[in-house]
Amino acid sequence: AAQVQVYGQQKFAVRAQLDPNRLAALGIGLDEVAESIQNGNVNLPTGTLSGARRAYSVEASGQLENAAAYRPLTIAYRNGAPVRLDSVARVLDATENDKSAAWVGKNLERGIVLAVFRQPGSNAVELANAVRAVLPALRDQLPPGLNLRILYDRSQTIQASVHDVKITLLISLVLVVIVIYLFLRSARAAFIPSIAIPLSLAGTFAVMYLLNFSLDNLSLMALTLCVGFVVDDAIVMLENIVRHMELGEGVMEAALNGSKEISFTILSMTLSLTAVFIPILFMSGIMGRLLHEFAVTIMSAVLVSGLVSLTLTPMLCSRFLRHPREQRHGHLFEVSERYFNYFRDGYDWSLRGVLRHRFLVLVASILILVLTGYLFILIPKGFLPSEDSGGIFAFSMAAQGTSFEQMKKIQRQVADIVGDNTNVSSVFALAGAGGPSGGSNSGIFFAHLKDHPSASQQFIAGFKNFLHIPHKPFGPEYRMVDTDAVIQQLRPKLATIPGVLVFMQNPPPIQLSAHLTKSQYQYTLEGPDTTELYQVSKNIEAQIRKLPGFLDVTSDLEINNPQVNIHIDRDKAQTLGVSAYQIENALTTAYGQGRISTIYAPNNEYWVISELEPQYQANPNDLSLLYIRSTSGQLIPLNTVASITEGLGPLSVNHFGQLPSVTISFNLAPGVALGDAVSGVDRIAREGLPADISASFEGTAQQFQSSLVGLGILLIATVLVIYLVLGILYESFIHPITILSGLPSAALGALVTLLAFHMELDLYGFVGIIMLIGIVKKNAIMMIDFALDAQRTGGRSTTEAIYHGAIVRFRPIMMTTFAALMGILPIALGLGAGAESRRPLGMAVVGGLIFSQIITLYITPVYYTYLDQFQHWLGSRFQRRRAEGDVEAPAPVPESVHG
C-alpha cells in the first residue's frame, strides 16, 4: 500500500578523487585508472569443483568493499615499482550524491526524509498507523547518535478533518431537532421526526458498507447535508397527521387518513430529490470520481428517509401523539402560537394581493431568470477550493550557474526565515538536485504548520462569546490563520534574500498536475523548432507576468546556464591517435561522477565513483590538466586536440509527449478566480502564438476548463431528469413546470450569496446549487398536491385551490425549510479543519433557501394558476378541433392523477 521517496538521500559509495598533476607526472591516463579499478573489483560466478565423491564451490576474493581495500590497488608500474591508487588519488568512504543537503526540524538539523505515499485505492489512515507500528523496530536497528521521528503525518490532518465533520454532523442534528420542537412545541411530536434522522443515517451506512465506500470528507459532508432534509418527509407526514387531529379526528383515524392523504406527496418529494443526483452517476473524469460516492450517499439517505416516513412515522404517531384536547399548554406555547399565527396571517394577506396582481409577479419571475443567467456568467469561477492542508510546499530557485555550496547557504537562509514564523511547527529543507530542473541551483522545502483549534473548540468559544462568558483564549500552540495567510506572511520576508526566488504553494487536496512544477497551475507550449519555441515562450511568460493577480510566474525553461564548450579538432586528434570517444570518456571520468565499478553487498549495491579532487573541479582553466592516452602510448593534453571556450547552454531540454516543450506555471493571489486567470492566458495565447506552436493547460487548470462544459451539461441534465420524473408521477406536462418555476430564484439566491461573501462558484458551490434544485421544489410539491386534491374532490376553482393549498401547507413548508437551513448552517459557518473548502456549498444552499423560500411562496401559486388555465385552454382547443373534424381523435390532455 506504500510508496517511498527519499529526500536528502546519502547512500554509501567509494569515491576516488584523482590528482591530475600527479597522474601527468607519472604518465598515467584517466582511462588507465578507471580500467584498473574495474579490473580490481570483480564479483563473478567462479564455478564448482566436482570430484568422484565430493563437490566444492569456488569462491574468489575479487570483491573490494570499502575505501581501505581500494587504496593499495595497483594501477600501473613505473621503474619496476607498482603505483598504488592512493598515491594519485584520495580514496574515501563517502556518499553517492554529494551535491545534496537536507535539514529537518525547527532547529534545522541535518537529516534525511523518507516520504511515504499511499498507493491508489489504499487507506491513508491505515497506512499511517502501519508505519507508526514499525517505527519502534526501525529505531532499534539505528546506531547511537541517529534519531528517527515523524516530521509530518498527513493522516492526522485527515483524521482531524473527519472528526470536525462528525462534530458538524452532530451540531446539525441538534439544531434540526430544536427547530422541530419550536414549531410543534411538544416533546412527543418532536421525537417522532427526530427518530427518522438516526434511522436514515444507519440505513445509509448499511448501503455504504455494501458498496465498499469509505468515510471520507465527501461522504461525511453528504451525511451532514442529509440531516437537514431527510427529516423533511417525516415532518410533512407528522404535520399532516397533527392537522387531521386538529380537525377533530382521533389519533388512530388521523394517522390512517393523514398518512394516506400525504403519501403521494412524500413519494414525489423523495423520488424527485433522488433524481437530482442521477446525472452525477454518469459523469466521467475527475468530477465523476469525486462526486460518485457523494451522490450515492445522498440518494441512499433520501430513499431510506422516504421509506421510514411512509412506514415508521405513521405508526409512531398513532402510539405517541396525544389529541390536542388532552394536551395542556403553557405560556410559551401560547406566545409562540400567537406569533406563528401572525406570520401565517401576514402571508395570507400578502398572497391575496399577489394573486390579484399575477402579471407583475410573472414579469418579476422572468426578470429573476434573466438576472440568474447574467450572474452565472458574471460570477468568478473556480474548480477545487483551496483547503487548509496544514503545510506549505515550496521551490527555491537561484540564478542559473549557482554552485551547490552557494545554494546551501541560500537554502539555509530560506529555512531560517520560514522556521521563525510563529505559525510553523517544523521545517524540512533540501538544497541541491531536488527541484524540477534537478540542478544545483534549486532546492525545496516543506513547512509543517501548527494545528487549528477543532470545530468543537471553535463552536464552544463562539457560544461563550455570544453569552459573554469569559474563557481561556487559544494558546500559542494553535494556529489562528489558514495556510494561504501564512504564505502571504512569508512572501515579503523571503523576498529580502538576494539571489533567490521562492515559489510557495498550498498543496491542493488532489494533485492533478502531470509533472512537478514550481507553481500550482501549468500552461504548456509545444513545438518542433526549439529556437522559435523558446523565444515565443519567453514572450508569453512576460505577458502573463503583467496580468493582475498572477504570482510566482515562472517556467521550466533554463537555457542560460554557464557552460564550458569543448570543440574537438578531429583531424588533429586523429593524427595524434586520439578518438572522440577517448576524450569524452576522460571527461566523464574526471567530472561526470559516474559509476566506474559496483560493490555488490548481500542486500544492496553501491557505486565506485571517479572524479578529480574538488580543487580541480572549480575552474574551466583546469581542463587543460587532463591528458588522453594516444594509440602510440603518449599522453596528449586535452587542449592540444580541442579548444575550450565558455558560453551559455540549456540546463535541461523538456519534452511533452514527442515534442520539445516549455511549461509556464503560476499561482494566483487570494481572491483571484481561476476562471478569470484561464481567460486571460487564453487571450494572450490567441494574440501571440504562431500556427506551428500548440499550447494547452495542464493539471488543475485543464480539469477546470473541461469542468465548465461538464457542469453546464450536468445542470441541464438534472433539470431534464427531474422534469421527466415529475411528469411520470403527475402524468402531466404542465405541473412539473409549475414545480420547477422556483428554481431560478434558488440559483439567484445562491449566486448573490457567493458574490456577497466574495466566494467563487467552485465545484462544491455548484453541488450546492444542484442540491437546491432538489430541496426547493419540495415547497411547490406540497402546495400543488393539496391544490390538485382540492380541485378534484372539493370542486374548487384554480385560484381557490392553490390559495387554500398554500395556506394549509404554510406550516410544513416553514418547518422543512428551517430544518434544512439549520442542517446546513454549520457547514456555512466553516468551523474546523478543512471546513473552508466546504463553506461555499453551505453558503450557496443557505442563501438559495432563504431567497427561494420567500419567492416560491408567491411564484408557485401564480404559475399554477397561469399554467392550469393554459392546460384547460389547450384541452378545449383540441376538443374544438376534434368536434370540427380537423384532426382524428387526438389523445386528450390527461388530468393529473393524485396517488
Side-chain angles (χ1 to χ4, degrees):
Q3 178 183 355
V4 180
Q5 187 171 350
V6 183
Y7 295 94
Q9 180 178 9
Q10 302 295 328
K11 188 177 180 182
F12 171 76
V14 172
R15 285 185 174 271
Q17 298 179 341
L18 305 173
D19 185 337
N21 292 322
R22 183 66 177 160
L23 289 173
L26 294 174
I28 300 174
L30 293 173
D31 55 341
E32 294 178 68
V33 177
E35 184 178 357
S36 299
I37 293 175
Q38 292 167 359
N39 293 334
N41 179 46
V42 186
N43 187 3
L44 298 175
T46 46
T48 59
L49 296 176
S50 183
R53 300 180 61 183
R54 182 173 295 182
Y56 301 87
S57 60
V58 179
E59 179 68 25
S61 59
Q63 177 85 59
L64 304 177
E65 297 182 350
N66 52 47
Y70 282 89
R71 291 187 186 112
L73 187 65
T74 301
I75 59 173
Y77 284 89
R78 292 295 181 264
N79 300 322
V83 178
R84 310 289 184 181
L85 180 60
D86 58 358
S87 64
V88 296
R90 291 194 304 164
V91 186
L92 309 171
D93 288 325
T95 58
E96 185 176 300
N97 180 12
D98 63 350
K99 296 298 186 290
S100 175
W103 302 268
V104 295
K106 190 75 171 178
N107 299 323
L108 297 178
E109 300 172 322
R110 288 297 299 268
I112 302 172
V113 171
L114 281 74
V116 183
F117 304 94
R118 71 177 184 89
Q119 295 280 20
S122 59
N123 187 296
V125 176
E126 290 181 356
L127 174 60
N129 292 335
V131 171
R132 288 177 178 274
V134 302
L135 287 183
L138 294 177
R139 288 191 181 100
D140 293 340
Q141 300 177 32
L142 292 178
L146 292 184
N147 182 32
L148 179 64
R149 63 186 178 90
I150 297 174
L151 182 67
Y152 174 65
D153 185 357
R154 180 63 190 272
S155 71
Q156 292 180 339
T157 305
I158 296 173
Q159 288 177 306
S161 181
V162 171
H163 175 265
D164 287 336
V165 174
K166 292 178 181 177
I167 297 297
T168 303
L169 177 63
L170 180 61
I171 294 172
S172 299
L173 194 151
V174 171
L175 291 176
V176 169
V177 172
I178 291 174
V179 167
I180 298 172
Y181 178 78
L182 290 178
F183 270 93
L184 298 177
R185 283 92 66 184
S186 168
R188 288 173 173 265
F191 169 78
I192 294 172
S194 301
I195 201 67
I197 299 176
L199 289 177
S200 299
L201 295 180
T204 306
F205 283 132
V207 175
M208 293 174 64
Y209 178 78
L210 293 175
L211 296 177
N212 199 28
F213 288 177
S214 61
L215 273 181
D216 52 29
N217 281 342
L218 282 174
S219 59
L220 281 171
M221 183 176 65
L223 292 172
T224 305
L225 293 170
C226 290
V227 169
F229 54 82
V230 296
V231 74
D232 286 359
D233 297 340
I235 289 175
V236 173
M237 175 67 75
L238 171 68
E239 193 279 335
N240 202 56
I241 293 174
V242 171
R243 186 177 63 85
H244 275 262
M245 293 170 58
E246 292 172 348
L247 294 176
E249 297 181 4
V251 176
M252 183 61 72
E253 183 183 8
L256 291 173
N257 294 336
S259 60
K260 180 180 179 181
E261 181 184 43
I262 205 68
S263 60
F264 180 77
T265 301
I266 292 177
L267 182 65
S268 300
M269 292 165 57
T270 300
L271 294 181
S272 58
L273 181 55
T274 305
V276 168
F277 299 96
I278 291 177
I280 296 179
L281 301 180
F282 297 95
M283 292 181 64
S284 59
I286 186 66
M287 286 181 53
R289 296 180 63 184
L290 279 175
L291 299 179
H292 180 78
E293 289 191 18
F294 177 85
V296 172
T297 301
I298 290 186
M299 293 172 68
S300 303
V302 172
L303 291 174
V304 173
S305 70
L307 179 63
V308 170
S309 302
L310 291 173
T311 55
L312 182 64
T313 302
M315 185 275 292
L316 292 176
C317 289
S318 66
R319 296 293 185 268
F320 285 92
L321 286 183
R322 290 181 179 178
H323 200 279
R325 293 191 300 266
E326 302 175 4
Q327 298 183 30
R328 294 182 180 180
H329 304 297
H331 178 69
L332 178 63
F333 179 88
E334 300 296 337
V335 172
S336 59
E337 184 70 15
R338 188 183 312 120
Y339 278 102
F340 177 76
N341 291 334
Y342 287 158
F343 279 112
R344 187 180 59 188
D345 293 342
Y347 174 60
D348 188 338
W349 172 82
S350 59
L351 181 59
R352 291 175 184 271
V354 164
L355 291 176
R356 287 195 299 267
H357 302 86
R358 295 183 303 158
F359 182 74
L360 293 178
V361 177
L362 182 63
V363 172
S365 68
I366 296 174
L367 292 177
I368 288 175
L369 178 60
V370 174
L371 183 59
T372 301
Y374 172 73
L375 289 183
F376 188 81
I377 297 173
L378 178 67
I379 190 171
K381 298 176 181 64
F383 184 46
L384 287 174
S386 175
E387 284 192 13
D388 189 354
S389 61
I392 299 172
F393 186 67
F395 293 105
S396 52
M397 188 65 60
Q400 297 179 50
T402 302
S403 68
F404 170 66
E405 293 300 322
Q406 179 64 18
M407 190 64 205
K408 283 173 59 178
K409 298 177 182 177
I410 293 174
Q411 187 71 348
R412 185 60 190 258
Q413 286 181 274
V414 171
D416 286 337
I417 290 178
V418 174
D420 288 340
N421 190 285
T422 56
N423 296 297
V424 174
S425 174
S426 62
V427 179
F428 158 63
L430 174 68
S437 64
S440 62
N441 65 324
S442 63
I444 62 175
F445 77 78
F446 183 85
H448 180 211
L449 306 182
K450 295 178 180 178
D451 294 331
H452 262 310
S454 66
S456 55
Q457 290 174 314
Q458 294 186 56
F459 183 80
I460 293 172
F463 186 72
K464 287 183 176 180
N465 283 332
F466 178 76
L467 297 178
H468 301 287
I469 299 175
H471 63 93
K472 183 180 179 180
F474 299 117
E477 68 275 10
Y478 288 112
R479 174 170 51 97
M480 301 311 298
V481 295
D482 60 17
T483 302
D484 293 327
V486 177
I487 290 176
Q488 297 307 316
Q489 293 174 0
L490 292 173
R491 281 187 189 280
K493 295 181 179 180
L494 294 176
T496 61
I497 304 176
V500 66
L501 296 175
V502 180
F503 305 94
M504 293 177 288
Q505 53 183 287
N506 180 6
I510 300 176
Q511 183 61 254
L512 301 176
S513 301
H515 52 279
L516 199 62
T517 56
K518 304 181 190 78
S519 303
Q520 188 172 357
Y521 306 105
Q522 300 86 40
Y523 188 67
T524 300
L525 293 82
E526 305 171 64
D529 186 349
T530 55
T531 303
E532 182 185 31
L533 174 66
Y534 293 163
Q535 183 59 46
V536 170
S537 62
K538 287 181 180 179
N539 296 336
I540 296 294
E541 181 182 349
Q543 295 181 58
I544 292 177
R545 288 181 186 276
K546 299 177 182 178
L547 292 175
F550 279 65
L551 301 173
D552 303 330
V553 179
T554 183
S555 74
D556 59 2
L557 179 62
E558 294 188 285
I559 57 176
N560 294 321
N561 190 64
Q563 180 173 285
V564 177
N565 301 308
I566 299 175
H567 301 278
I568 300 174
D569 188 337
R570 294 181 179 270
D571 292 335
K572 184 181 291 188
Q574 188 173 5
T575 301
L576 295 175
V578 177
S579 66
Y581 173 79
Q582 287 179 289
I583 295 173
E584 293 209 2
N585 188 50
L587 291 170
T588 301
T589 303
Y591 305 109
Q593 297 194 18
R595 175 174 54 179
I596 60 173
S597 187
T598 304
I599 300 172
Y600 295 99
N603 60 346
N604 210 332
E605 62 179 46
Y606 306 100
W607 289 8
V608 180
I609 300 171
S610 69
E611 61 181 348
L612 297 187
E613 291 187 5
Q615 64 267 28
Y616 299 112
Q617 298 186 45
N619 196 324
N621 295 328
D622 292 335
L623 286 168
S624 60
L625 299 176
L626 297 186
Y627 289 81
I628 297 97
R629 179 77 64 183
S630 69
T631 54
S632 62
Q634 295 181 335
L635 288 178
I636 307 299
L638 176 63
N639 56 8
T640 302
V641 293
S643 61
I644 302 172
T645 60
E646 295 185 40
L648 299 175
L651 189 62
S652 61
V653 178
N654 299 295
H655 287 74
F656 190 80
Q658 299 296 322
L659 294 176
S661 67
V662 175
T663 297
I664 301 172
S665 56
F666 58 90
N667 290 327
L668 297 176
V672 178
L674 179 57
D676 297 336
V678 169
S679 300
V681 174
D682 279 337
R683 184 179 65 256
I684 291 174
R686 287 194 302 269
E687 297 172 354
L689 279 183
D692 58 341
I693 292 181
S694 60
S696 62
F697 286 97
E698 302 298 331
T700 303
Q702 180 191 36
Q703 292 294 333
F704 167 77
Q705 278 189 312
S706 61
S707 72
L708 285 180
V709 179
L711 290 176
I713 295 175
L714 174 63
L715 183 60
I716 296 173
T718 301
V719 175
L720 181 61
V721 168
I722 293 178
Y723 177 82
L724 294 175
V725 171
L726 292 174
I728 294 171
L729 290 172
Y730 286 93
E731 297 184 3
S732 170
F733 297 102
I734 300 299
H735 294 311
I737 299 177
T738 307
I739 294 173
L740 298 175
S741 61
L743 298 187
S745 63
L748 179 62
L751 296 176
V752 170
T753 303
L754 292 176
L755 285 171
F757 286 88
H758 306 288
M759 294 181 178
E760 302 173 357
L761 179 60
D762 55 27
L763 180 61
Y764 287 168
F766 199 89
V767 170
I769 294 179
I770 294 294
M771 291 197 61
L772 280 172
I773 295 176
I775 298 174
V776 170
K777 61 177 179 46
K778 289 186 172 185
N779 298 348
I781 289 176
M782 284 188 278
M783 291 185 196
I784 291 172
D785 275 359
F786 200 92
L788 290 174
D789 187 67
Q791 282 184 273
R792 185 177 64 254
T793 60
R796 297 175 184 265
S797 66
T798 300
T799 304
E800 290 176 345
I802 191 61
Y803 164 78
H804 188 61
I807 297 300
V808 171
R809 294 301 189 203
F810 180 70
R811 181 167 64 177
I813 287 174
M814 296 300 293
M815 288 179 65
T816 55
T817 301
F818 273 96
L821 278 174
M822 291 299 103
I824 201 71
L825 188 60
I827 296 179
L829 294 177
L831 302 177
E836 64 281 345
S837 63
R838 303 186 291 269
R839 195 162 177 248
L841 188 152
M843 296 300 295
V845 175
V846 167
L849 272 178
I850 293 175
F851 186 71
S852 63
Q853 171 68 16
I854 300 172
I855 299 299
T856 54
L857 286 173
Y858 300 102
I859 285 183
T860 301
V862 170
Y863 268 83
Y864 182 83
T865 57
Y866 273 119
L867 292 176
D868 193 70
Q869 291 174 2
F870 173 73
Q871 178 171 324
H872 283 90
W873 172 81
L874 194 63
S876 62
R877 184 175 180 183
F878 273 126
Q879 291 177 1
R880 186 169 60 253
R881 292 182 62 187
R882 180 181 179 184
E884 294 173 354
D886 293 339
V887 295
E888 294 185 2
V893 178
E895 295 182 358
S896 300
V897 178
H898 191 211

